[in-house]
Short mmCIF file of all heavy atoms in Angstrom, two decimals:
data_model
loop_
_atom_site.label_atom_id
_atom_site.label_comp_id
_atom_site.label_asym_id
_atom_site.label_seq_id
_atom_site.Cartn_x
_atom_site.Cartn_y
_atom_site.Cartn_z
N HIS A 26 6.90 1.79 -9.13
CA HIS A 26 6.33 0.70 -8.35
C HIS A 26 4.90 0.53 -8.44
O HIS A 26 4.19 1.51 -8.41
CB HIS A 26 6.86 0.96 -6.84
CG HIS A 26 6.86 -0.21 -5.94
ND1 HIS A 26 5.60 -0.90 -5.73
CD2 HIS A 26 7.84 -0.89 -5.30
CE1 HIS A 26 5.84 -1.88 -4.89
NE2 HIS A 26 7.18 -1.86 -4.61
N PRO A 27 4.45 -0.68 -8.65
CA PRO A 27 2.97 -0.88 -8.80
C PRO A 27 2.12 -0.64 -7.60
O PRO A 27 0.94 -0.54 -7.70
CB PRO A 27 2.86 -2.34 -9.24
CG PRO A 27 4.20 -3.01 -8.85
CD PRO A 27 5.28 -1.93 -8.73
N HIS A 28 2.79 -0.74 -6.39
CA HIS A 28 1.97 -0.72 -5.18
C HIS A 28 2.35 0.38 -4.15
O HIS A 28 1.50 0.81 -3.32
CB HIS A 28 2.01 -1.94 -4.40
CG HIS A 28 1.44 -3.13 -5.16
ND1 HIS A 28 0.21 -3.26 -5.49
CD2 HIS A 28 2.16 -4.22 -5.63
CE1 HIS A 28 0.04 -4.41 -6.15
NE2 HIS A 28 1.25 -4.99 -6.27
N ILE A 29 3.47 1.02 -4.38
CA ILE A 29 3.92 2.03 -3.39
C ILE A 29 4.54 3.26 -4.17
O ILE A 29 5.55 3.12 -4.85
CB ILE A 29 5.14 1.53 -2.49
CG1 ILE A 29 4.64 0.20 -1.75
CG2 ILE A 29 5.64 2.59 -1.53
CD1 ILE A 29 5.69 -0.54 -1.06
N THR A 30 3.89 4.38 -4.13
CA THR A 30 4.30 5.55 -4.86
C THR A 30 4.09 6.79 -3.91
O THR A 30 3.94 6.62 -2.77
CB THR A 30 3.53 5.73 -6.19
OG1 THR A 30 4.09 6.80 -6.89
CG2 THR A 30 2.07 5.84 -5.97
N THR A 31 4.18 8.02 -4.47
CA THR A 31 3.91 9.09 -3.67
C THR A 31 2.76 9.85 -4.43
O THR A 31 2.65 9.82 -5.68
CB THR A 31 5.18 10.04 -3.57
OG1 THR A 31 5.68 10.22 -4.95
CG2 THR A 31 6.17 9.47 -2.73
N ASP A 32 2.03 10.63 -3.64
CA ASP A 32 1.01 11.39 -4.28
C ASP A 32 1.50 12.85 -4.61
O ASP A 32 2.38 12.91 -5.49
CB ASP A 32 -0.26 11.51 -3.36
CG ASP A 32 -1.46 12.07 -4.10
OD1 ASP A 32 -2.00 11.28 -4.93
OD2 ASP A 32 -1.83 13.15 -3.94
N TYR A 33 1.11 13.81 -3.91
CA TYR A 33 1.55 15.23 -4.22
C TYR A 33 2.99 15.45 -3.75
O TYR A 33 3.85 15.84 -4.49
CB TYR A 33 0.66 16.25 -3.68
CG TYR A 33 1.34 17.74 -3.82
CD1 TYR A 33 1.11 18.33 -5.12
CD2 TYR A 33 1.97 18.30 -2.90
CE1 TYR A 33 1.72 19.46 -5.40
CE2 TYR A 33 2.53 19.54 -3.11
CZ TYR A 33 2.36 20.14 -4.33
OH TYR A 33 2.89 21.34 -4.53
N SER A 34 3.22 15.12 -2.54
CA SER A 34 4.48 15.43 -1.95
C SER A 34 5.39 14.31 -1.78
O SER A 34 4.96 13.11 -1.85
CB SER A 34 4.22 15.93 -0.29
OG SER A 34 5.31 16.11 0.32
N GLU A 35 6.69 14.54 -1.73
CA GLU A 35 7.72 13.56 -1.48
C GLU A 35 7.41 12.88 -0.17
O GLU A 35 7.74 11.67 -0.06
CB GLU A 35 9.08 14.26 -1.54
CG GLU A 35 10.24 13.21 -1.46
CD GLU A 35 10.54 12.46 -2.67
OE1 GLU A 35 9.75 12.54 -3.67
OE2 GLU A 35 11.53 11.63 -2.76
N SER A 36 6.79 13.52 0.70
CA SER A 36 6.47 13.00 1.99
C SER A 36 5.05 12.29 2.11
O SER A 36 4.62 11.85 3.15
CB SER A 36 6.43 14.08 3.15
OG SER A 36 7.49 14.95 2.90
N GLN A 37 4.37 12.16 0.95
CA GLN A 37 3.04 11.69 0.93
C GLN A 37 3.02 10.37 0.18
O GLN A 37 2.92 10.37 -0.98
CB GLN A 37 2.07 12.67 0.32
CG GLN A 37 0.63 12.36 0.45
CD GLN A 37 -0.32 13.40 -0.06
OE1 GLN A 37 0.01 14.09 -1.08
NE2 GLN A 37 -1.45 13.63 0.43
N LEU A 38 3.05 9.22 1.01
CA LEU A 38 2.93 7.91 0.34
C LEU A 38 1.51 7.64 -0.14
O LEU A 38 0.55 8.11 0.42
CB LEU A 38 3.27 6.89 1.40
CG LEU A 38 4.79 6.82 1.82
CD1 LEU A 38 5.01 5.95 3.03
CD2 LEU A 38 5.51 6.23 0.57
N GLU A 39 1.49 6.90 -1.21
CA GLU A 39 0.34 6.29 -1.74
C GLU A 39 0.46 4.86 -1.93
O GLU A 39 1.32 4.40 -2.72
CB GLU A 39 -0.16 7.00 -3.07
CG GLU A 39 -1.48 6.54 -3.60
CD GLU A 39 -1.90 7.20 -4.77
OE1 GLU A 39 -1.45 8.28 -5.10
OE2 GLU A 39 -2.83 6.73 -5.53
N LEU A 40 -0.43 4.01 -1.20
CA LEU A 40 -0.33 2.63 -1.28
C LEU A 40 -1.50 2.08 -1.98
O LEU A 40 -2.63 2.41 -1.78
CB LEU A 40 -0.26 2.07 0.23
CG LEU A 40 0.75 2.69 1.18
CD1 LEU A 40 0.68 2.04 2.57
CD2 LEU A 40 2.16 2.61 0.54
N ILE A 41 -1.11 1.11 -2.94
CA ILE A 41 -2.13 0.80 -3.99
C ILE A 41 -2.21 -0.71 -3.94
O ILE A 41 -1.35 -1.47 -4.04
CB ILE A 41 -1.64 1.31 -5.39
CG1 ILE A 41 -1.43 2.83 -5.39
CG2 ILE A 41 -2.68 0.83 -6.48
CD1 ILE A 41 -0.60 3.30 -6.51
N THR A 42 -3.56 -1.11 -3.94
CA THR A 42 -3.80 -2.61 -4.18
C THR A 42 -4.10 -2.92 -5.55
O THR A 42 -4.33 -2.01 -6.46
CB THR A 42 -5.07 -3.09 -3.28
OG1 THR A 42 -6.27 -2.69 -3.99
CG2 THR A 42 -5.11 -2.60 -1.92
N GLY A 43 -4.06 -4.20 -5.97
CA GLY A 43 -4.60 -4.67 -7.27
C GLY A 43 -6.16 -4.76 -7.23
O GLY A 43 -6.70 -4.13 -6.38
N VAL A 44 -6.66 -5.32 -8.23
CA VAL A 44 -8.14 -5.51 -8.34
C VAL A 44 -8.50 -6.78 -7.60
O VAL A 44 -8.02 -7.82 -7.88
CB VAL A 44 -8.50 -5.53 -9.79
CG1 VAL A 44 -10.04 -5.72 -9.90
CG2 VAL A 44 -8.03 -4.38 -10.54
N HIS A 45 -9.60 -6.69 -6.84
CA HIS A 45 -10.01 -7.81 -5.86
C HIS A 45 -11.52 -8.21 -6.05
O HIS A 45 -12.34 -7.26 -6.30
CB HIS A 45 -9.71 -7.50 -4.46
CG HIS A 45 -8.21 -7.51 -4.16
ND1 HIS A 45 -7.49 -8.63 -3.76
CD2 HIS A 45 -7.29 -6.49 -4.25
CE1 HIS A 45 -6.19 -8.34 -3.68
NE2 HIS A 45 -6.04 -7.09 -3.93
N ALA A 46 -11.79 -9.55 -5.85
CA ALA A 46 -13.15 -10.05 -5.94
C ALA A 46 -13.89 -9.94 -4.64
O ALA A 46 -15.08 -9.95 -4.70
CB ALA A 46 -12.96 -11.58 -6.39
N THR A 47 -13.08 -9.67 -3.54
CA THR A 47 -13.84 -9.50 -2.27
C THR A 47 -13.19 -8.36 -1.50
O THR A 47 -12.01 -8.11 -1.61
CB THR A 47 -13.73 -10.81 -1.43
OG1 THR A 47 -12.39 -11.02 -0.97
CG2 THR A 47 -14.25 -12.02 -2.12
N PRO A 48 -13.99 -7.77 -0.61
CA PRO A 48 -13.34 -6.73 0.31
C PRO A 48 -12.25 -7.34 1.14
O PRO A 48 -11.27 -6.63 1.43
CB PRO A 48 -14.54 -6.31 1.16
CG PRO A 48 -15.81 -6.50 0.34
CD PRO A 48 -15.41 -7.81 -0.44
N GLU A 49 -12.39 -8.57 1.59
CA GLU A 49 -11.47 -9.15 2.54
C GLU A 49 -9.99 -9.27 1.80
O GLU A 49 -9.02 -8.88 2.44
CB GLU A 49 -11.90 -10.54 2.91
CG GLU A 49 -13.04 -10.52 3.90
CD GLU A 49 -14.39 -10.25 3.21
OE1 GLU A 49 -14.48 -10.42 1.95
OE2 GLU A 49 -15.26 -9.87 3.86
N THR A 50 -10.04 -9.82 0.63
CA THR A 50 -8.71 -10.01 -0.09
C THR A 50 -8.10 -8.61 -0.39
O THR A 50 -6.95 -8.46 -0.42
CB THR A 50 -8.79 -10.89 -1.25
OG1 THR A 50 -9.71 -10.27 -2.24
CG2 THR A 50 -9.19 -12.20 -1.09
N CYS A 51 -8.96 -7.66 -0.69
CA CYS A 51 -8.50 -6.28 -0.93
C CYS A 51 -7.74 -5.68 0.32
O CYS A 51 -6.65 -5.18 0.18
CB CYS A 51 -9.65 -5.45 -1.35
SG CYS A 51 -9.24 -3.74 -1.95
N LEU A 52 -8.38 -5.83 1.43
CA LEU A 52 -7.85 -5.31 2.64
C LEU A 52 -6.69 -6.13 3.07
O LEU A 52 -5.73 -5.60 3.64
CB LEU A 52 -8.80 -5.22 3.80
CG LEU A 52 -9.93 -4.20 3.62
CD1 LEU A 52 -10.94 -4.33 4.74
CD2 LEU A 52 -9.29 -2.84 3.68
N GLU A 53 -6.53 -7.43 2.81
CA GLU A 53 -5.37 -8.23 3.07
C GLU A 53 -4.17 -7.68 2.36
O GLU A 53 -3.08 -7.56 2.90
CB GLU A 53 -5.64 -9.78 2.69
CG GLU A 53 -6.33 -10.54 3.80
CD GLU A 53 -6.89 -11.84 3.19
OE1 GLU A 53 -6.31 -12.39 2.30
OE2 GLU A 53 -7.83 -12.40 3.77
N GLU A 54 -4.33 -7.47 1.07
CA GLU A 54 -3.22 -6.85 0.30
C GLU A 54 -2.83 -5.53 0.88
O GLU A 54 -1.62 -5.26 0.97
CB GLU A 54 -3.61 -6.82 -1.22
CG GLU A 54 -2.40 -6.32 -2.07
CD GLU A 54 -2.56 -6.25 -3.50
OE1 GLU A 54 -3.75 -6.20 -3.98
OE2 GLU A 54 -1.49 -6.16 -4.18
N LEU A 55 -3.84 -4.62 1.10
CA LEU A 55 -3.48 -3.35 1.66
C LEU A 55 -2.71 -3.50 2.99
O LEU A 55 -1.71 -2.74 3.18
CB LEU A 55 -4.81 -2.62 1.92
CG LEU A 55 -4.60 -1.10 2.31
CD1 LEU A 55 -3.93 -0.23 1.22
CD2 LEU A 55 -5.89 -0.54 2.65
N LEU A 56 -3.05 -4.46 3.77
CA LEU A 56 -2.33 -4.63 5.06
C LEU A 56 -0.88 -5.09 4.78
O LEU A 56 0.07 -4.46 5.32
CB LEU A 56 -3.06 -5.76 5.86
CG LEU A 56 -2.30 -6.22 7.14
CD1 LEU A 56 -2.28 -5.06 8.17
CD2 LEU A 56 -2.94 -7.38 7.74
N ARG A 57 -0.70 -6.02 3.74
CA ARG A 57 0.72 -6.46 3.51
C ARG A 57 1.54 -5.28 3.01
O ARG A 57 2.76 -5.18 3.30
CB ARG A 57 0.65 -7.63 2.55
CG ARG A 57 0.16 -8.93 3.05
CD ARG A 57 0.55 -10.11 2.24
NE ARG A 57 -0.13 -10.08 0.94
CZ ARG A 57 -1.32 -10.53 0.73
NH1 ARG A 57 -2.01 -11.10 1.77
NH2 ARG A 57 -1.92 -10.44 -0.41
N VAL A 58 0.87 -4.48 2.15
CA VAL A 58 1.69 -3.26 1.56
C VAL A 58 2.10 -2.36 2.73
O VAL A 58 3.21 -1.91 2.87
CB VAL A 58 0.95 -2.42 0.58
CG1 VAL A 58 1.72 -1.27 0.02
CG2 VAL A 58 0.58 -3.43 -0.62
N HIS A 59 1.15 -2.14 3.76
CA HIS A 59 1.43 -1.41 4.94
C HIS A 59 2.56 -2.06 5.69
O HIS A 59 3.40 -1.30 6.23
CB HIS A 59 0.21 -1.30 5.74
CG HIS A 59 -0.72 -0.17 5.43
ND1 HIS A 59 -1.67 -0.14 4.48
CD2 HIS A 59 -0.78 1.17 6.00
CE1 HIS A 59 -2.24 0.87 4.31
NE2 HIS A 59 -1.83 1.74 5.35
N GLN A 60 2.50 -3.41 5.93
CA GLN A 60 3.53 -4.01 6.78
C GLN A 60 4.97 -3.75 6.20
O GLN A 60 5.93 -3.46 6.93
CB GLN A 60 3.25 -5.38 6.88
CG GLN A 60 2.07 -5.71 7.78
CD GLN A 60 1.76 -7.25 7.93
OE1 GLN A 60 1.22 -7.80 7.03
NE2 GLN A 60 2.26 -7.87 8.98
N PHE A 61 5.08 -4.00 4.87
CA PHE A 61 6.37 -3.81 4.21
C PHE A 61 6.84 -2.31 4.32
O PHE A 61 7.97 -2.07 4.61
CB PHE A 61 6.26 -4.15 2.78
CG PHE A 61 7.58 -3.93 1.94
CD1 PHE A 61 8.81 -4.81 2.14
CD2 PHE A 61 7.71 -2.88 1.18
CE1 PHE A 61 9.85 -4.51 1.54
CE2 PHE A 61 8.87 -2.62 0.53
CZ PHE A 61 10.03 -3.49 0.68
N THR A 62 5.91 -1.42 4.05
CA THR A 62 6.23 0.02 4.09
C THR A 62 6.61 0.47 5.49
O THR A 62 7.70 1.18 5.65
CB THR A 62 5.02 0.79 3.65
OG1 THR A 62 4.64 0.49 2.27
CG2 THR A 62 5.32 2.35 3.56
N MET A 63 6.00 -0.01 6.51
CA MET A 63 6.31 0.41 7.83
C MET A 63 7.62 -0.07 8.20
O MET A 63 8.33 0.68 8.91
CB MET A 63 5.21 -0.16 8.83
CG MET A 63 5.01 0.62 10.07
SD MET A 63 4.43 2.30 9.82
CE MET A 63 2.76 2.21 9.81
N ARG A 64 8.03 -1.18 7.77
CA ARG A 64 9.37 -1.71 8.13
C ARG A 64 10.51 -0.83 7.41
O ARG A 64 11.56 -0.96 7.92
CB ARG A 64 9.49 -3.09 7.68
CG ARG A 64 8.81 -4.14 8.53
CD ARG A 64 8.59 -5.51 8.06
NE ARG A 64 8.24 -6.46 9.10
CZ ARG A 64 7.03 -6.45 9.66
NH1 ARG A 64 6.15 -5.66 9.43
NH2 ARG A 64 6.88 -7.38 10.68
N ALA A 65 10.12 -0.13 6.44
CA ALA A 65 11.21 0.70 5.77
C ALA A 65 11.27 2.15 6.25
O ALA A 65 12.11 2.95 5.81
CB ALA A 65 10.85 0.79 4.30
N LEU A 66 10.29 2.53 7.16
CA LEU A 66 10.24 3.92 7.67
C LEU A 66 11.16 4.29 8.78
O LEU A 66 11.23 5.47 9.08
CB LEU A 66 8.74 4.25 8.05
CG LEU A 66 7.73 4.19 6.97
CD1 LEU A 66 6.40 4.75 7.44
CD2 LEU A 66 8.18 5.11 5.71
N GLY A 67 11.86 3.28 9.42
CA GLY A 67 12.70 3.75 10.45
C GLY A 67 12.00 4.37 11.61
O GLY A 67 10.99 3.93 12.11
#
C-alpha cells in the first residue's frame, strides 16, 4: 500500500503522504489517510 503500512510492529501503523508543494496540502492528505484508517479500526 502506498500510504498505509506498518513500521516495526504489526500493531504500529505508518501513514505516508505523497510529495507536496505546500504544508497545507501535505497535512490535508495526512488527514484523509487518518480518516480512512480510523474508520477501519473498529
Side-chain angles (χ1 to χ4, degrees):
H26 198 295
H28 299 294
I29 304 169
T30 182
T31 52
D32 192 76
Y33 174 75
S34 173
E35 186 74 356
S36 316
Q37 188 175 35
L38 285 169
E39 184 174 343
L40 307 182
I41 303 163
T42 74
V44 180
H45 288 270
T47 69
E49 291 75 19
T50 58
C51 189
L52 286 176
E53 278 166 25
E54 183 179 19
L55 187 64
L56 175 64
R57 285 195 296 276
V58 180
H59 272 81
Q60 287 180 279
F61 175 75
T62 301
M63 205 58 89
R64 282 164 165 73
L66 290 189

